[in-house]
C-alpha cells in the first residue's frame, strides 16, 4: 500500500489530512490502525467510532495487540462508545493477559456496556456536590476550582459523559453566582512573597557568590523534592506482580504462573538492588543510583540488595568492596543482604548450556576487534551445530582454548543494532572469591538480568545507557523460562567541570594527576566526605534533581547549595569579641574571649550584621570578624 493510499484510509476514520500525514510517521500506530480498519466495515461505522479506533491504536500495548480485532468490533457495534470505555476494555485485557478465552460477560460488565446515565442523574449528582462546596463557591466565586466538583461527580457516575458533567457544573455555578462581574474578570492577585529572615536588604542577584536563585529554578524545572522518600513516592512504577502492565514487557504463556510463584516468595514486597562493579570507588553519580534503589525500596516498605557485579577478576580489588559498602552506609542505607554475581556462577553456567541446547547461543571465534563497532561482520559460526557448540563451551570451561580465541554469543539483536552480544569470555585470572575454579566469566549483558531473576527483584532500576539492553534483558529471561523483572531507566547524573567516570578517574590516578580516589578535587564519595560534605547534603542534592529520563549535566553549585542548607541547620557556630586591648578593658581575660552561640541559626552567614555591643571602657564597637565552624 502506497503512503497516499494509507492516508486516504486513515481519513475515512475522520482524521484531517494533516493528522493522517502525522500519523503515518508513527509506524506502530499506523500498523494498529490499519489492522483495526481491516476488522470493521469502515463505511458503515457510526459517527465518532473512527476517532475511537484511533484512540485504541494509540493506547493498545504489545501485550494485548492480539485482542485488537475484538475491541475494534465492540467499537463498531457501539458497545464501546467512549474513550472511557475503550480504556476500561484495555485495562481488563491487560489484567487477563494469560487467559486464552476472554469472558465477554465480565468484559462488558467491567466496561459498563449498556449502562446509561441520564441527564437527570447528572443534574442530581452535581447538585449534591455543589451543596458541599456552596460556602467556598460564594467566597471565591469564579476563582473556585470547579474541577473538584467534576471529579467527585465522575467518581459517583463512572460512565457519565464528561462533557455533560462539565456543562451541568457550569450551568449550576452560573445559576448560583450569576454572570461574571469586573472583579471576577480581573487577574487574581499574586500572593505576597515574604522575605527570608535576615535577607530583607539583600538583592537576590545571580552572581557566582549567590547562586541560590539559579539552583532553585533549575530544581523546580526537573521536578525535584525536598527529601528522597517524598520523591520516591512520586515515581509511577508498577506494583509488584503487575509486571505485564508496563510498556515493552514481553508476556509468554508462563508469565502468569511465574509471577504467582514470585509473589509467594516475595509476599508482594518491593525488591530492588544496587549492583556496582567493584573496580573503583563510588562517585556522585552512584549516590543518585544508591538513593533511587535504596530509597524506592524504603519508601514502599521493601528491601534492597547490595550486589557486587564481580564478573571481571582483572580489575577487582578488596579495597573497592569495602569502600562501596562503606559509602552506602555513609549515605544512611543498610542493605537487606550483600550478594555477589559470583554466588550464582554455577547456575549461570547451567543456563548457558540450556541456551546452547535450545540453539539460542553458539561458540564464536571472532576476535574482540572484529565484533566491535556498529556494523561488525556477521559471525560465520552462527549456525554451527548445537553439539559442536556444547563441546567447545565445555572446552572453554576446562581451559583447553586460549584467551581471546572463543566466546559464547547469544542469538539476539539489541535495539542499537548490535548483533549477538557476548555471554561468556575466557580469562585466565584467579577470582577473589572462587579462586581458580573458573576460567570463563559471564558478561554484564548475560549476568545482570539472570541475577535479578534469581533474587526476585521487582524493579531493576538503571541509567539510560542500559535502555538498549532492555530487549536482551527480557529475551534472556523468557528464553530460559524464568521469572522476568521489569527494567526501568532514568537519566544519568553528570556534573560539569569534573570527571564522574571510574575508568577516567582511574587513569588520572595512574598518571599521577590526582593522588588517590579520595583526592578532594574529585567528586568521588570518599573525596566529598574528606572535604567535609555531609551525607545528608548529598542525599538532599539527589532528591532535588528528581528522576527523569533526560540525560544532562548540573553545575557543582547545586551541590554547594545543598551543603550550605544542611550546614546552616546543623553546624555549631563560634564567634569572638574584639576589644581595644587596653589594660583596663573588661574584655581582656586573655587575648580574646570565645563563647559558643546559644542559637546557631542566629549567627549563620545569612545574618547581615552581627556587631558586638560597645566596650564600656574604650567605647569601641567592632565586627566579630572571624567565624569558626
Amino acid at each position: 500500500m502506497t503512503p497516499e493510499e494509507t492516508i486516504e484510509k486513515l481519513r475515512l476514520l475522520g482524521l484531517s489530512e494533516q493528522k493522517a500525514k502525522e500519523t503515518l510517521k508513527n509506524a506502530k500506530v499506523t500498523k494498529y490502525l490499519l489492522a483495526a480498519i481491516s476488522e470493521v466495515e469502515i463505511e458503515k461505522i457510526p459517527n465518532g467510532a473512527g476517532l475511537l479506533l484511533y484512540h485504541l491504536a494509540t493506547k493498545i500495548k504489545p501485550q494485548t495487540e492480539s485482542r485488537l480485532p475484538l475491541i475494534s468490533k465492540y467499537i463498531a457495534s457501539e458497545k464501546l462508545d467512549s474513550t472511557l470505555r475503550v480504556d476500561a476494555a484495555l485495562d481488563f485485557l491487560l489484567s487477563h493477559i494469560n487467559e486464552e478465552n476472554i469472558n465477554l460477560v465480565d468484559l462488558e460488565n467491567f466496561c459498563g456496556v449498556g449502562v446509561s446515565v441520564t441527564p437527570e442523574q447528572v443534574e442530581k449528582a452535581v447538585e449534591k456536590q455543589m451543596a458541599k462546596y456552596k460556602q467556598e463557591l460564594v467566597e471565591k466565586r469564579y476563582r473556585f476550582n470547579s474541577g473538584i466538583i467534576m471529579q467527585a461527580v465522575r467518581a459517583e457516575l463512572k460512565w457519565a459523559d464528561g462533557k455533560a458533567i462539565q456543562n451541568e457544573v457550569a450551568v449550576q455555578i452560573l445559576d448560583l453566582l450569576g454572570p461574571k462581574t469586573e472583579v471576577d474578570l480581573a487577574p487574581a492577585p499574586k500572593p505576597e512573597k515574604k522575605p527570608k529572615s535576615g535577607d530583607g536588604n539583600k538583592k537576590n542577584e545571580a552572581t557566582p557568590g549567590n547562586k541560590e536563585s539559579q539552583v532553585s529554578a533549575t530544581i523546580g524545572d526537573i521536578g525535584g523534592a525536598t527529601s528522597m522518600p517524598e520523591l520516591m513516592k512520586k515515581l509511577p512504577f508498577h506494583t509488584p506482580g503487575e509486571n505485564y502492565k508496563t510498556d515493552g514487557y514481553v508476556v509468554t504463556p508462563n508469565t502468569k504462573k511465574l509471577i504467582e510463584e514470585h509473589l509467594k516468595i516475595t509476599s508482594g514486597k518491593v525488591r530492588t538492588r544496587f549492583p556496582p562493579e567493584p573496580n573503583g570507588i563510588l562517585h556522585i553519580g552512584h549516590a543518585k543510583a544508591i538513593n533511587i534503589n535504596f530509597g524506592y525500596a524504603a519508601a514502599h516498605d521493601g528491601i534492597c540488595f547490595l550486589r557486587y557485579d564481580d564478573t571481571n577478576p582483572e580489575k577487582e580489588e578488596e579495597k573497592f568492596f569495602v569502600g562501596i559498602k562503606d559509602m552506602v552506609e555513609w549515605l544512611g542505607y543498610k542493605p537487606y543482604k550483600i550478594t555477589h554475581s559470583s554466588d550464582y556462577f554455577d547456575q549461570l553456567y547451567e543456563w548457558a548450556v540450556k541456551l546452547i541446547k535450545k540453539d539460542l547461543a553458539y561458540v564464536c571465534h571472532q576476535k574482540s576487534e572484529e565484533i566491535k563497532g556498529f556494523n561488525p561482520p556477521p559471525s560465520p559460526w552462527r549456525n554451527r551445530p548445537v553439539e559442536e557448540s556444547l563441546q567447545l563451551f565445555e572446552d572453554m570451561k576446562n581451559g583447553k582454548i586460549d584467551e581471546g580465541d572463543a566466546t559464547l554469543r547469544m542469538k539476539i539483536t539489541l535495539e542499537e543494532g548490535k548483533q549477538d552480544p557476548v555471554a561468556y569470555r575466557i580469562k585466565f585470572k584467579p577470582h577473589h572469591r572462587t579462586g581458580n575454579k573458573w576460567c570463563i566469566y559471564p558478561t554484564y549483558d548475560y549476568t545482570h538480568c539472570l541475577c535479578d531473576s534469581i533474587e526476585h527483584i521487582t524493579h531493576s532500576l538503571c541509567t539510560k545507557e542500559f535502555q538498549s539492553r532492555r530487549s536482551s534483558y527480557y529475551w534472556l529471561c523468557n528464553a530460559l523460562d524464568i521469572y522476568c523483572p521489569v527494567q526501568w531507566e532514568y537519566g544519568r547524573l553528570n556534573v560539569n567541570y569534573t570527571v564522574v567516570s571510574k575508568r577516567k578517574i582511574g587513569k588520572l590516578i595512574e598518571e599521577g594527576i590526582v593522588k588517590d580516589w579520595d583526592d578532594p578535587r574529585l567528586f568521588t564519595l570518599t573525596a566529598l566526605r574528606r572535604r567535609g560534605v555531609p551525607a545528608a547534603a548529598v542525599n538532599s542534592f539527589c532528591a532535588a534533581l528528581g528522576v527523569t529520563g533526560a540525560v544532562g549535566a548540573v553545575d557543582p553549585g547545586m551541590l554547594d547549595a545543598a551543603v550550605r542548607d544542611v550546614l546552616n541547620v546543623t553546624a555549631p557556630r563560634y564567634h569572638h569579641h574584639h576589644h581595644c586591648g587596653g589594660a583596663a578593658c573588661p574584655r581582656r581575660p586573655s587575648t580574646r574571649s570565645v563563647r559558643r552561640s546559644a542559637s546557631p541559626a542566629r549567627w549563620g552567614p545569612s545574618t547581615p550584621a552581627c556587631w558586638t555591643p560597645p566596650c564600656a571602657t574604650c567605647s569601641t564597637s567592632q565586627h566579630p570578624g572571624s567565624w569558626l565552624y
Side-chain angles (χ1 to χ4, degrees), residues 125-166:
V126 172
E127 283 177 0
K128 177 182 171 184
Q129 297 302 325
M130 288 279 289
K132 289 182 182 178
Y133 296 98
K134 184 175 181 180
Q135 186 176 348
E136 192 177 349
L137 263 164
V138 172
E139 289 175 3
K140 294 183 177 178
R141 290 184 60 78
Y142 286 96
R143 292 197 176 96
F144 175 79
N145 181 11
S146 58
I148 298 171
I149 295 175
M150 287 188 274
Q151 191 175 7
V153 174
R154 168 69 76 195
E156 185 178 338
L157 303 174
K158 184 177 179 181
W159 306 113
D161 181 65
K163 287 184 178 178
I165 295 174
Q166 186 179 12

Side-chain angles (χ1 to χ4, degrees), residues 355-367:
L355 282 177
I356 297 172
K357 288 180 178 178
K358 295 177 78 170
D359 199 20
L360 297 174
Y362 63 97
V363 173
C364 174
H365 302 289
Q366 284 178 298
K367 301 294 183 183

Side-chain angles (χ1 to χ4, degrees), residues 416-453:
E416 62 188 13
K418 183 179 178 182
Q419 192 177 45
D420 297 355
V422 172
Y424 269 88
R425 73 277 204 213
I426 302 169
K427 286 184 182 291
F428 290 110
K429 300 283 182 184
H431 192 274
H432 70 287
R433 298 185 76 242
T434 61
N436 293 312
K437 179 180 178 181
W438 300 93
C439 62
I440 55 171
Y441 294 97
T443 61
Y444 175 90
D445 285 331
Y446 179 76
T447 309
H448 176 59
C449 58
L450 300 183
C451 289
D452 282 352
S453 178

Side-chain angles (χ1 to χ4, degrees), residues 89-335:
L90 292 175
D91 287 342
F92 181 86
L93 294 175
L94 203 54
S95 60
H96 294 73
I97 198 81
N98 285 110
E99 294 182 14
E100 288 185 19
N101 299 312
I102 296 294
N103 188 316
L104 297 183
V105 175
D106 290 346
L107 171 64
E108 292 179 9
N109 289 336
F110 189 83
C111 300
V113 173
V115 176
S116 177
V117 180
T118 65
E120 290 76 16
Q121 287 176 296
V122 173
E123 182 182 359
K124 195 172 290 185
V126 172
E127 283 177 0
K128 177 182 171 184
Q129 297 302 325
M130 288 279 289
K132 289 182 182 178
Y133 296 98
K134 184 175 181 180
Q135 186 176 348
E136 192 177 349
L137 263 164
V138 172
E139 289 175 3
K140 294 183 177 178
R141 290 184 60 78
Y142 286 96
R143 292 197 176 96
F144 175 79
N145 181 11
S146 58
I148 298 171
I149 295 175
M150 287 188 274
Q151 191 175 7
V153 174
R154 168 69 76 195
E156 185 178 338
L157 303 174
K158 184 177 179 181
W159 306 113
D161 181 65
K163 287 184 178 178
I165 295 174
Q166 186 179 12
N167 292 338
E168 184 61 34
V169 170
V171 167
Q172 293 201 26
I173 288 177
L174 179 65
D175 187 50
L176 176 66
L177 304 178
K180 289 185 179 181
T181 64
E182 290 184 9
V183 176
D184 296 324
L185 295 171
K190 292 182 180 179
E192 290 184 22
K193 291 184 179 180
K194 295 181 180 179
K196 293 180 181 178
S197 58
D199 287 345
N201 298 324
K202 287 189 176 181
K203 292 183 180 178
N204 198 10
E205 296 175 357
T207 62
N210 182 19
K211 294 183 182 175
E212 285 85 347
S213 60
Q214 296 170 307
V215 171
S216 62
T218 306
I219 289 171
D221 289 340
I222 58 175
T226 56
S227 67
M228 217 63 208
E230 178 192 341
L231 176 63
M232 292 297 101
K233 286 176 181 175
K234 292 180 181 179
L235 297 181
F237 294 158
H238 70 283
T239 302
E242 295 185 351
N243 305 28
Y244 52 84
K245 290 189 177 182
T246 57
D247 290 335
Y249 190 81
V250 180
V251 177
T252 69
N254 276 339
T255 295
K256 185 178 181 181
K257 184 189 78 167
L258 291 168
I259 288 179
E260 286 174 353
E261 292 172 358
H262 157 77
L263 289 173
K264 286 179 185 176
I265 294 169
T266 65
S267 302
K269 277 194 170 188
V270 167
R271 284 190 170 206
T272 61
R273 81 289 170 272
F274 174 57
E277 189 178 352
N279 61 353
I281 294 296
L282 305 182
H283 53 66
I284 189 69
H286 292 107
K288 180 178 179 181
I290 291 170
N291 271 284
I292 289 174
N293 280 285
F294 282 92
Y296 187 78
H300 294 84
D301 195 28
I303 59 177
C304 183
F305 293 77
L306 170 58
R307 184 204 308 145
Y308 294 109
D309 184 26
D310 56 343
T311 57
N312 187 358
E314 286 182 320
K315 299 180 180 179
E316 294 156 5
E317 296 180 36
E318 183 62 29
K319 67 177 181 180
F320 298 142
F321 287 87
V322 175
I324 288 170
K325 180 175 178 288
D326 188 27
M327 287 301 98
V328 169
E329 292 175 348
W330 178 61
L331 291 176
Y333 297 108
K334 185 177 180 182

